[in-house]
């Protein structure tokens, strides 16, 4: 049986962003969520995968640069990383809550 890793990740940025999204900064909400859930390492990895400079990705995330069709694939990859990281943070927090609640029981 083959590995699921061999299938590769397919990101369809065309389904994520509409024509109206291009040429303007991403929404404040998306910027906030991305900043909260991705690291500099995530941005660096996405820059390599998306063939876009780190500074371009950073500037789009911080809303000092606009979303374009050229950087949309990289931002979509970053969305995926943020999604995975947010799930990991949630699971870690739930584990911490269980551990701490047992310590605080009297």
């Amino acid at each position: 049986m083959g590995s699921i890793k061999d299938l590769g990740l397919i990101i369809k940025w065309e389904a994520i962003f509409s024509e109206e999204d291009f040429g303007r900064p991403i929404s404040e909400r998306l910027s906030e969520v991305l900043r909260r859930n991705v690291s500099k390492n995530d941005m660096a990895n996405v820059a390599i995968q998306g063939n876009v400079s780190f500074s371009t990705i950073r500037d789009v995330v911080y809303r000092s640069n606009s979303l374009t069709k050229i950087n949309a694939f990289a931002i979509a990859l970053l969305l995926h990383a943020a999604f995975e990281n947010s799930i990991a943070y949630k699971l870690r927090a739930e584990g911490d809550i269980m551990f701490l609640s047992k310590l605080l029981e009297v």
Side-chain angles (χ1 to χ4, degrees):
M1 190 180 274
S3 169
I4 194 165
K5 291 180 183 179
D6 296 334
L7 296 176
L9 176 65
I10 298 172
I11 298 288
K12 295 185 179 183
W13 62 266
E14 302 91 347
I16 297 171
F17 303 113
S18 66
E19 285 296 321
E20 296 84 37
D21 294 324
F22 300 116
R24 61 180 59 169
I26 61 174
S27 71
E28 289 182 38
R29 173 81 171 131
L30 179 55
S31 172
E32 178 184 324
V33 170
L34 288 174
R35 285 183 281 127
R36 189 172 39 237
N37 290 288
V38 297
S39 67
K40 288 180 184 179
N41 285 339
D42 292 324
M43 287 191 214
N45 291 336
V46 163
I48 293 166
Q49 288 177 311
N51 202 26
V52 177
S53 74
F54 176 88
S55 60
T56 296
I57 292 171
R58 181 199 60 221
D59 291 349
V60 172
V61 169
Y62 282 88
R63 304 184 77 235
S64 59
N65 201 352
S66 296
L67 181 71
T68 66
K69 290 185 179 181
I70 294 170
N71 63 37
F73 176 67
I75 299 303
L77 287 173
L78 201 61
L79 284 166
H80 186 269
F83 180 74
E84 287 184 339
N85 290 344
S86 66
I87 291 170
Y89 296 149
K90 178 182 177 187
L91 293 173
R92 186 171 39 244
E94 288 172 353
D96 291 348
I97 289 167
M98 289 189 302
F99 173 75
L100 293 170
S101 68
K102 287 183 181 181
L103 289 176
L104 293 172
E105 287 178 1
V106 177

